[in-house]
Amino acid sequence: MTEETTQNATSEVAKTDTTFVPDWEKKAEKLEEMVKQGLGKQVGYRSVDGQVVEPILLTTEQQDNTYPIVIDKPVGFIAPAYGWFGEQRGYYETAPAYQGRKIQELTEGLTKVVKDQEQIKKDQETAAKDKQAYDKQKDQTLKLVTIITSQLGTIATKIDSLSKQQAVTTAKPTQSTPPVAVASTEPTQSTPPVAVASTEPTQSTPPVAVASTEPTQSADNKGGEK
């Protein structure tokens, strides 16, 4: 029976109908309706030796999973079996087609994860390059700002020096320009020399004889006239 159920489940999984409901789940839904009608206490799932679970109607309520009855519903499984011993304690899938589909899904998921990792790596490399370019541009900008600041300081110093020189030049007294003599067209009158009194004793100058322009008479002539 279990082998036939597994084969049926496998063939059902192969279908592309997204509304597919496993056989065990259909039976369990009917039993749940009976519980609601008071025909039973609980739905259990019997699983023995790796066989696909079989839903059964329990007349007494069970609190824990007790071999061979499991009270936990195997939600999400196609052909579930329950492992009672070892590390695989709990439900596991027995449908080959489902397992193959799960392997394919896991493979596709792994491929997607690898692609995502590669894309993340590329994004990180791009971000690193962008950061390097940004840092380089930042350094160039800082250097340019430093050069401009230095030039502004030099210009300010020169302007201050020129302002001080201009202030000193403005504060100096101006020298008067001597008047320029203008030639007069009127005849000038000579100014008589001014005698300067000398402090030294003057020596008397003997009178200078002035030659007379009139003819002198000789003494003889004077006597004859007498």
Side-chain angles (χ1 to χ4, degrees):
M1 173 194 174
T2 57
E3 184 177 355
E4 182 180 356
T5 303
T6 302
Q7 291 177 352
N8 292 335
T10 302
S11 62
E12 290 293 340
V13 171
K15 297 180 180 180
T16 58
D17 187 4
T18 57
T19 62
F20 167 73
V21 178
D23 290 341
W24 71 264
E25 189 171 353
K26 293 178 182 178
K27 186 176 181 179
E29 289 176 353
K30 293 179 180 180
L31 295 177
E32 289 172 355
E33 289 295 330
M34 294 176 65
V35 172
K36 291 178 181 179
Q37 296 173 5
L39 300 177
K41 291 291 185 180
Q42 187 178 18
V43 177
Y45 303 90
R46 186 176 184 275
S47 180
V48 180
D49 298 333
Q51 299 177 359
V52 177
V53 297
E54 179 183 0
I56 58 176
L57 184 63
L58 301 178
T59 56
T60 59
E61 189 172 352
Q62 184 174 321
Q63 299 295 331
D64 300 317
N65 298 328
T66 304
Y67 183 86
I69 306 300
V70 184
I71 60 174
D72 298 328
K73 188 175 181 178
V75 179
F77 289 89
I78 302 299
Y82 193 87
W84 291 98
F85 308 102
E87 297 179 356
Q88 197 177 3
R89 184 177 178 83
Y91 285 113
Y92 59 94
E93 187 61 67
T94 63
Y98 177 82
Q99 292 174 349
R101 188 176 68 180
K102 291 297 294 183
I103 292 174
Q104 182 179 359
E105 291 177 354
L106 292 173
T107 302
E108 292 175 353
L110 180 60
T111 303
K112 184 178 183 301
V113 170
V114 172
K115 290 181 179 180
D116 291 342
Q117 288 180 341
E118 292 177 353
Q119 184 62 43
I120 292 173
K121 185 178 179 180
K122 290 180 180 179
D123 293 342
Q124 290 177 343
E125 291 176 352
T126 302
K129 291 180 180 178
D130 292 342
K131 185 177 184 302
Q132 291 177 355
Y134 170 78
D135 292 340
K136 184 177 180 180
Q137 182 65 32
K138 183 179 179 181
D139 292 340
Q140 292 177 349
T141 302
L142 290 176
K143 290 179 181 179
L144 181 60
V145 170
T146 302
I147 294 172
I148 293 175
T149 303
S150 176
Q151 292 177 347
L152 288 175
T154 303
I155 293 172
T157 302
K158 290 181 178 180
I159 292 174
D160 184 63
S161 177
L162 291 173
S163 298
K164 291 180 179 179
Q165 291 179 3
Q166 185 178 9
V168 171
T169 303
T170 304
K172 287 182 177 181
T174 58
Q175 296 179 355
S176 59
T177 305
V180 178
V182 179
S184 175
T185 55
E186 296 181 357
T188 58
Q189 295 179 352
S190 60
T191 304
V194 180
V196 180
S198 174
T199 57
E200 295 182 359
T202 56
Q203 295 180 359
S204 59
T205 304
V208 179
V210 180
S212 177
T213 57
E214 296 181 357
T216 60
Q217 293 180 355
S218 64
D220 293 336
N221 292 336
K222 291 181 179 180
E225 290 178 356
K226 296 179 179 181

